[in-house]
Amino acid sequence: MSILEISNLSLSFGGVKALQDVSFRVPENTITTIIGPNGAGKTSLFNCISGFYKPQQGNIRYQGQPLPGSIKPPRRAALGLARTFQNIALFRGMTVLDNIKLGAHVHMKSGLLSALAYFGPARREETAVRQEVEERIIDFLEIDHIRRQPVASLPYGLQKRVELARALAMKPQVLMLDEPVAGMNREEKEDMARFILDIREEWGITVLMVEHDMGMVMDISDHIAVLNFGQVITEGVPADVQNNPEVIKAYLGNSDIDSLRRKLNPEGEVA
Amino acid sequence: MDWLFFGEISLAGLAMGGLYALIALGFVIIYKATRVINFAIGEIMMFAAYLFLAFAGGMELSPWIALPLAVIGGSILGGVIEKTMIRPMLGESPISVVMVTIGIGSILVGLVEFIWTADPQLLPSFLPREPVFIGPLYLAPKIAYGFLIGSALLIIYLLYFRFSRGGVALRATASDQAAAYSMGINVRRVFNMAWVFGSLAASLAGVLVAATGGLSPQFGIIGLSVLVVVIVGGLDSILGALVAGVFIGWLETVAGAYLGGEYRMPATFLVLAVILVIRPYGLFGTHEIERV
Amino acid sequence: MFRNILKKGRRLAGLGSLVAALTMAAPVMAQDKEPVVFGGSIPLSGVFAFAGIHIHAGLTDYTNWINSQGGINGHPVEYVMEDTAYEVDRSVAAFKKISGSSSPATYYGDSTGFMKAIASELNSQGNTLMSGASFATALTDNEQYPYQFIPGPNYSQMFGIILEYIATQGEGGDMPTVAFVYSDTEFGKDPIENGKARAGELGIDVVEEIVTKPGSVDVSAEVLKLRRVRPDYVVFHGYVLSPINEFMVQMRQMGLDTQFMGTFWSSDKLIIDKMGADADGYMGVMPYNYYDSEESGPMLDALRAQAEKSDPEAGYRPTGYMQGWFNAMVWTEVVKRTLDAGKELTGDNMAESLASIEDWDTGGIIGIPVTVRNMSFPVGRIWRVNAEEGRYEPVSDWIHLD
Amino acid sequence: MRIGDAKQSYEADEAIWTSSTQKLWLGFFLLILMVFPFAVDSYLLYLGCLVGIAVISTTGLNILTGFTGLISLGQAGFMGVGAYTVAWLSINTGLPFPITLVLAGLMAAAVGILVGLPSLRVKGLYLAIATLAASVFLHFIFAEWEPVTGGMGGLSLEPAHLFGLTFQSDFMMYFIIVPLAVLMVLAARNVFRTRIGRAFIAIRDRDISAEILGINLLRYKLMSFALSSFYAGVAGGLFAYFYRVVTPESFPLSMSIFYLAAVIVGGMGNLLGGILGAAFMTLVPEALKLLTAALTPFYPNAPVFMSPMLEIIFGGLIVGFLIFEPHGLAEIWHRIRRFFRLWPFRN
């Protein structure tokens, strides 16, 4: 069954139509990827799902329940929708550890008074979160050596990983990753791909991803939706999408088909 | 109700509002081009007024020579402030930049006290003293002539921004800095120019206001009224500055006349609070779309 | 502008005695008796500096003069002060510092705010008598402020004197009308209620009350209001200069023949200096003779001689100077009376000595003998600006309220 | 030279004072605070109390401006609310000071929440202007609501009291102010160990991504306003007990700017910075006074220039720190400490 169902979504800014009648489904416990050229509306779609943009039309169903515009981003986070950002959105003034702990925010309850005293519930809760973050996330993502460092001082690849860690701390049902490997070197990409696969396998989390790196997309996705000019042009398993002429056209217009095949086909890249 | 009285009060308020509009215009020019909210605008006005005092009172120049000198002095001050204290803050958070302007205000107050002491001062009177009647309505001559001079500059400004090259550069920078830069506009120069022009308007208004109300290092408090004007009108709207300037000037005066002087500030700040709640970007300001 | 710096330098230059005060130089005469200390929180800088500098000069010159006369009963006088910039917290700090190091018998406070803030400390210490720049009516409450007095009439009493003068100006049983214009400050609002009550008793109609911010404001709307009621007199209170000038100029431009009056701090020569010919006819209530008045008396002559000696080039000395001098004179009298009675210089004893002052001859500083009532000297005279001469001239007799 | 400490449990690792050296220094510092009032004259004692009050208020403003990124020009107004609350309560109810101070804080917090409400719609500088409007209204209320506030003349109150003890002198007040300041700084420190403090910082750094992490912006902005004005209210209450007179003129706009300056100079978003900034800014006028006194024998006009110099120094410190040392005195302090920690082994 689908954990996330997008139907007939339309969004426009002034005269610009960012999304037109977009519909697709994210099957539960899959890695679903949205691809499409720049400006196709991928990030706008993410923003609609996380509640930043209010679509003018259409609706989103999450775990079978509608997600109307009245449900604001914080509430959506609490419901289990986590995401990372295209251009890293970590809190630069904080350490890695604090950034990750922030992810656990919605699952914590302690109030202001006990926080002021740092006694009783607040203390227990903070210690518990720390333990969980350490044992489940920091170890898993292999970032224990940098936990005390301010994120601003970290290299790009590690920052992306910290952002992933923060999203995991939200204990999401659906993890939305906006270009998780952009700007990484091959080794970092491979690490990230492995983490994403593990997240689906071991944690049982549905992953919804926007990514340009076709090698990785074709490698790890279970399901792909292709977006162009704000419209879904096709949807399906990687192999189908790869050979869909619509997709090929959308990507490169009418230019060199071979280079395009190479780009869409991971094997081609290896060859 | 005494309509004649109301008419006279309103007229006085509108004339004062004209000067507010001029100051607000200076404020908006700076904000539009550089996105800096200038809390020191009242102090820049004050400084120019003291310059006028020095030229006309101390050096005994003719007021009509002293006035342009003081205004030029004030605009140079604006340019210097931009170059030395605002430019290093380029790219910092708007909050930090605002606090820099608060600091600049404090420095200017200190400088003025240092040079001219904290004693209250009167500017040499240079405007005609014959009462002005508009129909049956009396208007204090200083205010009337102040309004005329202020409006003249205001019109020159509006024409300049509409038609001159510099004005186009300024407007281009205001609407999209990056695009203006790529079009070959020297954005840094535009920033500096905005401060110079903004301070020029404030300086002229400063001398005119001080000429009617007297001068002391606390003069800069008028910046608060201007702040109300630009928030109500919309920080980035010239039309807003003009409309709100005249309106706030009128409201302040009418509230003062009918309720008492202690109600002037609360009355205008009440309008400010209402605007903040119902139209946070001002009557004519643009609502900026947040980008994720 | 640099001329201004130089000019400002001049204001203090001749008063080299400042150095003596700040460094607590030894008194003039070598005496083995313990010195009596006059302390002071003095606004040498900040918004009240225009008066503070002269207050300081008055206190310094008086100290030097009394020491040249042999001190008080042989005790030399020491004047110890700190600059406060007219900020309450710094005035308090100065008081703590000075009272910690030199236990002053008397103390000059620079503002009503300070006098109120320090009252609890003063009352619990109980060994200093205080007066200063404030003529606040509240301070004459002996319950709350037993050790603080007013070196002249309080603001309400000043209004009383002004109103009494106005009452005598009615012609043919026609009482003049009056409008009060005051600043939206504690200072400004101080005498208004009492002033209205007093006007009622005298049968004077208060036709308008106008509150403004102090300092630089546009008052044309307020002037229009006064134009409607056409008061015979406008009494200003709570201002130093602006917007008094603007009211006067604009109302005269309208052809009104209103008379303008003001209280102590609005009756300095500053008004004449800054307004020039426009100041002509302005009237103020003043409990002391102006420095350049034609009056004389042993103490007034001594004051002039001492002022001349300390800064021969200064010429005219403003009211702040007279006020500083008079404060110190009262302190001396109080200390002398207390010592004469063989008592210690405690707050209670000095307050008692102060209350005992009756028909006291001030040697020409005040034109008639004065009696202390409720810790104040309710006496004053109406003076009027003669712009051509550049000075205030008396237009009434001395008025002593009961 | 210090070597990293190995921790046995996560709880121990979460502690504030993680090494014994730190604990030693802390103990030493507290001891100095204890001994201070017995060792100094009334003038220094007075300054000590002033610094204590300033530390509380600056810490409060730091929570709002430094940690949550919401600039406020209303701090003096909030302090006024606290001061008037204490004055009114002590005149009309005679409650002991711990209760009046808490109520002062709560009252100020309530007003703070009210002022923060526009943050539902406006942010950043617009919010700053809302706080400015609040301070105008508060001043108006202080001045005009005569039956409660005593109008322009203000209120005079009795000394703080508890269990028959009367806190009249500065010496006695010191023992209310300074422990309270220590306590409140520690409490603030605690907040920043928990999710609430992290949420504040997240809002400051990137409010949009904070929202996606499930942080309700309005709720936490209001909480920050409430907490910050609670601190201001308590500081104002102490101010009332300290001077025992409260007037509308006691809390001018320049006071709000003073506290902003203290936060900036100390270091925005750094509690230690708040303390350093509060102490530094309170003592600058006194230092300047010493300087003028020293200069006077050579240059008799020196005192005339003190107040202008002070204005210039205040403004210059704000501008200078923002341009050259945006992390404030706290950063300078850390540099000094790093230097000595490694000393003499490295440079």
Side-chain angles (χ1 to χ4, degrees), chain C residues 34 40 82 91 124 131 160 176 206 215 225 310-311 348 354 363 384 402:
Chain C
E34 227 180 283
E82 287 243 346
S91 298
S124 64
S131 59
V206 181
K225 254 173 130 172
S310 72
D311 184 358
D348 285 325
L354 178 74
R384 178 194 192 110
D402 309 309

Side-chain angles (χ1 to χ4, degrees), chain D residues 45-66:
Chain D
L45 197 57
Y46 168 78
L47 289 182
C49 291
L50 275 193
V51 169
I53 294 173
V55 163
I56 294 174
S57 191
T58 308
T59 301
L61 188 60
N62 209 351
I63 291 173
L64 187 67
T65 300

Side-chain angles (χ1 to χ4, degrees), chain C residues 5 8-13 16 18-19 22-23 44-46 53 82-85 88-90 92-94 96-97 99-100 113 116-118 120-121 124 144-145 184-187 189, chain D residues 41-43 46-47 50 139 143-144 152-154 156-157 168-170 242-245 247 249 254 285-286 289-290 292-293 296-297 299-308 310-311:
Chain C
I5 298 186
K8 179 169 51 170
R10 279 265 321 115
R11 300 204 310 197
L12 268 189
L18 175 60
V19 183
L22 279 172
T23 54
L44 284 182
S45 53
I53 289 168
E82 287 243 346
D83 177 26
T84 65
V88 171
D89 55 343
R90 271 183 258 163
V92 173
K96 306 248 173 182
K97 198 166 172 183
S99 66
K116 284 186 170 178
I118 205 67
S120 63
E121 172 96 9
S124 64
Q144 223 172 346
Y145 308 103
D184 183 21
T185 58
E186 178 178 14
F187 173 25
K189 290 192 168 173
Chain D
D41 64 3
S42 64
Y43 170 64
Y46 168 78
L47 289 182
L50 275 193
H139 186 272
E144 303 299 325
M152 287 310 289
S156 300
L157 60 155
Q168 186 144 26
S169 61
D170 293 357
F242 191 56
Y243 288 117
R244 277 194 269 136
V245 56
T247 76
E249 285 158 26
S254 59
E286 300 306 317
K289 211 145 80 179
L290 288 181
T292 25
T296 311
Y299 186 58
N301 290 330
V304 182
F305 296 115
M306 193 188 115
S307 160
L310 203 58
E311 294 273 3

Side-chain angles (χ1 to χ4, degrees), chain D residues 246-267:
Chain D
V246 181
T247 76
E249 285 158 26
S250 311
F251 306 98
L253 185 61
S254 59
M255 195 178 198
S256 294
I257 293 173
F258 171 89
Y259 284 112
L260 261 185
V263 168
I264 293 168
V265 168

Side-chain angles (χ1 to χ4, degrees), chain A residues 170-190:
Chain A
M170 294 170 76
K171 297 185 192 157
Q173 306 290 314
V174 176
L175 179 60
M176 296 190 281
L177 304 174
D178 200 344
E179 303 198 16
V181 299
M184 288 186 171
N185 62 31
R186 175 176 292 236
E187 197 183 334
E188 285 171 333
K189 278 181 190 172
E190 280 168 5

Side-chain angles (χ1 to χ4, degrees), chain D residues 65-284:
Chain D
T65 300
F67 286 97
T68 321
L70 304 172
I71 181 175
S72 166
L73 291 167
Q75 191 74 355
F78 297 138
M79 286 180 71
V81 171
Y84 273 103
T85 307
V86 158
W88 191 89
L89 285 173
S90 82
I91 291 167
N92 293 293
T93 68
L95 287 169
F97 79 83
I99 299 175
T100 59
L101 283 179
V102 169
L103 289 174
L106 291 178
M107 191 68 163
V111 175
I113 290 175
L114 204 65
V115 174
L117 270 182
S119 61
L120 178 66
R121 305 256 328 210
V122 300
K123 50 204 272 187
L125 296 164
Y126 286 90
L127 197 59
I129 287 155
T131 62
L132 186 67
S135 67
V136 169
F137 293 138
L138 286 173
H139 186 272
F140 181 73
I141 292 169
F142 298 157
E144 303 299 325
W145 196 15
E146 271 202 51
V148 172
T149 64
M152 287 310 289
L155 297 172
S156 300
L157 60 155
E158 291 301 301
H161 67 90
L162 183 72
F163 305 134
L165 277 175
T166 305
F167 294 79
Q168 186 144 26
S169 61
D170 293 357
F171 181 80
M172 296 287 276
M173 277 307 289
Y174 181 92
F175 288 100
I176 298 178
I177 293 171
V178 170
L180 207 52
V182 171
L183 210 67
M184 290 181 80
V185 170
L186 283 180
R189 183 74 191 79
N190 281 339
V191 167
F192 290 102
R193 301 159 76 187
T194 68
R195 69 177 199 131
I196 293 172
R198 286 194 297 270
F200 289 167
I201 300 175
I203 290 172
R204 175 194 69 190
D205 284 1
R206 246 169 197 270
D207 56 353
I208 288 170
S209 40
E211 216 175 348
I212 284 189
L213 290 178
I215 292 165
N216 182 330
L217 295 188
L218 178 65
R219 185 185 145 87
Y220 281 93
K221 281 181 180 174
L222 289 186
M223 200 187 280
S224 183
F225 259 105
L227 195 59
S228 161
S229 19
F230 181 88
Y231 275 63
V234 171
L238 290 171
F239 181 98
Y241 279 132
F242 191 56
Y243 288 117
R244 277 194 269 136
V245 56
V246 181
T247 76
E249 285 158 26
S250 311
F251 306 98
L253 185 61
S254 59
M255 195 178 198
S256 294
I257 293 173
F258 171 89
Y259 284 112
L260 261 185
V263 168
I264 293 168
V265 168
M268 280 186 275
N270 186 311
L271 288 172
L272 173 70
I275 300 170
L276 293 175
F280 186 77
M281 294 304 278
T282 310
L283 298 178
V284 161

